[in-house]
Amino acid sequence: MGDNAIAVRSLIGGRWADPGSEHVDAIPDPATGETIATLSYSSENDVHDAVLAARQAFPAWADTPVPDRAQVMFRLKQLLERNLEELALLVTRENGKTLAESRGEVRRGIEVVELACGAPTLLMGTSLDQIAEGIDEELVRFPVGVVAGVTPFNFPSMVPLWMIPLALVCGNTFVHKPSQRTPLSATRIAELLVEAGLPDGVLNVVHGARESVDALLAHPEVDAVSFVGSEAVARSVYAAGAATGKRVQALGGAKNHLLVMDDADLERSVTALISSAFGNAGQRCLAGSVAVGVGSVADALVEELVGQAERLRLGPGVEPETDMGPVIREERRKELIAHIERGQQAGARLVADGRGAGPAEGFFLGPTVFDRVTPDMALWREELFGPVLSVVRARDIDEAIRVLNSSPYGNAASIFTTSGASAREFKRRAEAGMLGVNIGVAAPMAFFPFVGWKSSFFGDLHATGVDGVRFYTRPKVITSRWTLPARLDHSKPEGRGH
Ligand code: NAD
């Protein structure tokens, strides 16, 4: 164990404490395998106490004037800016991604806080005067209540910040259950929110894995659940939450296709493809994991991909010259290697083999590229969530769009082309919610929703943007009749008497 390994705490009703179950995980730095922290899981009682603390804090927080709630977000924004380097380093240490990627992640999280600062405008309702004689109608937004947030390991800072600022500024209280593999950033963000002046109990943090999530889902005092993670878990969280009448948004996995047309600027397109497929070591729900070479471009595409992939430098994310860090755990690395072996057995051509690359101590797997992958192979079908890119060859744009649309997932897709007509065809027909044109990672900014389709999303209202505000609020429509008692008399001439 590293000398500086810290014990991660939970936050319940404003009190930092050691979680109460017997289960303890060692949290390794994926670049070295060295233990950097220990995580005790929360007990069922801890989860219960956290939900009750959130319930108790709810009435006063919901009644706190909206501009005052927004002020907490302004202070949080300042604190996040001030501590950006420290937060980025924390992401790199617990997740393994490069410092540049971690800085980008924290920045994207801050953008949601900036959105939340606009709460007085975002939360405005609508009204219509005189919908009938003497009657007006207005729509007013109220918070939902206690929200549970469950987040994944791959964006330990950004995904919690997709949820917490918007949920809180809308007047909800929150119980966060971060990934048991990356609990450090979430705990630090909670500390900063306390420093920003958040009252006790408004944000609570519990730890653990499935049992803690099950306890949150079963709890009658939890009104809404925001979940981000893998497809199978998103699907079951959605079903379990909805079955007990909770409002749920559950963001799942992905298999994002990147179409390269034969009129594209090949070198620049491949640079974007490489960053999409191998950025964050491929552990990104917006990662391009299938490159579709359309028409005559395929041979040149594969050659350029292999050339650029082999130039990526693997290493610890803290070193400035590193292009790609490790994957999250040794078991994940082994699973990915098993996928690579199965891909070879299925007949795909392994043209860049990342096995054995990178420093021996960490959980490294180099960029791996398969050519001649077909839709009957697991390589095409399944989300592998690592630095493995599959190349599919398609005759024309129709076949390419057919392949992409036959994926069960629908998170993101991109086209690389110099033809406006091809781009338009793609924009209209691709069945995915986040599309890129000559962009490899089509991530919406905070003021737009994060729109997965098909098995990449379960629910109705997406995270961030106006969708996020609508998810975390319940509208009331109020119809009022107010007429002056003497109204009819006003039409009569005054002072004459009858
Ligand atoms: P995961 O599903 O293993 O875990 C996500 C969260 O759910 C964690 O907090 C975990 O403790 C909890 N969990 C795990 N198993 C559970 C179970 N059986 N019941 C209840 N809760 C459970 O996901 P991960 O490996 O941490 O993250 C990677 C996945 O997240 C990938 O599939 C990726 O595509 C997806 N992801 C999606 C988006 C998106 O916006 N769609 C964003 C980021 C990550």
Side-chain angles (χ1 to χ4, degrees):
M1 182 174 300
D3 291 342
N4 299 323
I6 52 158
V8 184
R9 294 171 305 165
S10 57
L11 175 64
I12 298 176
R15 243 175 26 86
W16 291 100
D18 294 328
S21 90
E22 305 281 284
H23 186 119
V24 183
D25 281 349
I27 308 289
D29 176 341
T32 61
E34 183 198 344
T35 298
I36 53 172
T38 56
L39 177 78
S40 301
Y41 285 14
S42 296
S43 66
E44 211 178 320
N45 276 344
D46 293 337
V47 175
H48 178 70
D49 290 348
V51 174
L52 286 195
R55 173 57 61 199
Q56 265 177 6
F58 176 65
W61 181 244
D63 270 353
T64 302
V66 180
D68 294 353
R69 296 202 302 252
Q71 284 304 323
V72 177
M73 294 303 143
F74 278 104
R75 290 195 290 273
L76 175 64
K77 145 97 178 153
Q78 279 181 329
L79 289 168
L80 290 169
E81 294 283 1
R82 200 177 301 151
N83 294 286
L84 198 147
E85 277 306 305
E86 179 216 325
L87 288 161
L89 187 60
L90 210 50
V91 171
T92 292
R93 288 211 78 201
E94 65 177 341
N95 170 282
K97 64 181 73 174
T98 68
L99 262 180
E101 290 166 342
S102 297
R103 288 190 191 107
E105 151 162 13
V106 178
R107 176 60 55 203
R108 299 314 295 258
I110 292 175
E111 285 163 8
V112 186
V113 180
E114 289 164 356
L115 176 73
C117 289
T121 312
L122 290 170
L123 286 170
M124 274 183 194
T126 48
S127 65
L128 187 62
D129 174 72
Q130 192 77 343
I131 56 144
E133 183 57 39
I135 300 181
D136 308 326
E137 205 157 81
E138 61 191 314
L139 180 149
V140 187
R141 299 202 163 276
F142 291 91
V144 178
V146 175
V147 179
V150 180
T151 52
F153 80 83
N154 64 325
F155 282 96
S157 193
M158 182 187 76
V159 172
L161 288 172
W162 277 357
M163 302 174 180
I164 296 169
L166 275 186
L168 297 187
V169 90
C170 288
N172 303 282
T173 54
F174 204 93
V175 181
H176 183 203
K177 206 296 289 169
S179 167
Q180 70 278 16
R181 292 183 277 193
T182 53
L184 302 178
S185 299
T187 314
R188 185 72 187 116
I189 289 168
E191 282 173 4
L192 294 178
L193 265 159
V194 170
E195 199 179 329
L198 200 68
D200 290 352
V202 174
L203 173 67
N204 306 274
V205 184
V206 294
H207 294 291
R210 183 188 180 145
E211 291 70 24
S212 300
V213 180
D214 285 347
L216 287 166
L217 287 169
H219 206 294
E221 295 290 340
V222 171
D223 299 299
V225 180
S226 291
F227 174 89
V228 178
S230 53
E231 185 260 342
V233 183
R235 189 185 288 274
S236 76
V237 164
Y238 181 71
T244 53
K246 300 185 198 317
R247 179 181 290 208
V248 187
Q249 55 178 193
L251 286 66
K255 193 80 185 176
N256 304 314
H257 289 55
L258 308 169
L259 276 53
V260 181
M261 306 302 291
D262 50 16
D263 55 28
D265 173 336
L266 193 62
E267 198 184 326
R268 283 174 65 184
S269 304
V270 168
T271 302
L273 256 65
I274 289 282
S275 139
S276 178
F278 304 123
N280 290 2
Q283 302 171 117
R284 192 155 56 178
C285 69
L286 292 180
S289 47
V290 179
V292 186
V294 184
S296 59
V297 77
D299 286 339
L301 171 67
V302 170
E303 195 185 326
E304 183 68 30
L305 274 172
V306 172
Q308 290 199 29
E310 284 176 347
R311 286 200 288 279
L312 291 179
R313 290 159 303 186
L314 241 69
V318 286
E319 288 175 10
E321 62 278 10
T322 295
D323 296 315
M324 194 175 114
V327 298
I328 189 74
R329 291 286 182 275
E330 179 58 18
E331 307 84 74
R332 258 317 9 244
R333 193 170 78 99
K334 286 189 180 140
E335 283 167 19
L336 288 162
I337 288 172
H339 276 296
I340 294 170
E341 286 162 1
R342 278 200 294 276
Q344 285 180 296
Q345 284 154 17
R349 276 188 50 213
L350 184 60
V351 289
D353 186 354
R355 289 172 295 183
E361 317 81 66
F363 316 138
F364 288 92
L365 177 65
T368 299
V369 182
F370 275 102
D371 187 15
R372 298 196 178 273
V373 173
T374 50
D376 54 327
M377 296 178 186
L379 273 182
W380 175 81
R381 225 176 22 250
E382 293 172 18
E383 180 187 50
L384 308 187
F385 219 58
V388 182
L389 177 66
S390 296
V391 179
V392 171
R393 293 168 177 239
R395 253 188 328 275
D396 52 26
I397 191 166
D398 285 335
E399 188 183 355
I401 293 177
R402 238 189 344 267
V403 170
L404 130 66
N405 286 351
S406 57
S407 169
Y409 295 105
N411 226 30
S414 293
I415 189 169
F416 291 84
T417 184
T418 49
S419 153
S422 295
R424 180 170 188 273
E425 201 62 13
F426 170 80
K427 282 193 317 201
R428 300 194 67 235
R429 286 170 51 200
E431 291 176 6
M434 292 171 278
L435 300 184
V437 177
N438 298 319
I439 299 270
V441 181
M445 285 196 72
F447 26 84
F448 282 100
F450 201 90
V451 195
W453 281 22
K454 295 158 79 176
S455 293
S456 297
F457 179 75
F458 303 91
D460 301 293
L461 293 166
H462 297 271
T464 73
V466 174
D467 259 34
V469 173
R470 290 180 62 202
F471 181 79
Y472 292 123
T473 53
R474 288 189 293 189
K476 274 184 193 168
V477 174
I478 302 152
T479 310
S480 318
R481 185 202 307 272
W482 290 111
T483 45
L484 294 172
R487 170 113 196 203
L488 288 177
D489 292 346
H490 283 309
S491 58
K492 294 175 188 162
E494 276 179 359
R496 295 222 183 119
H498 284 275

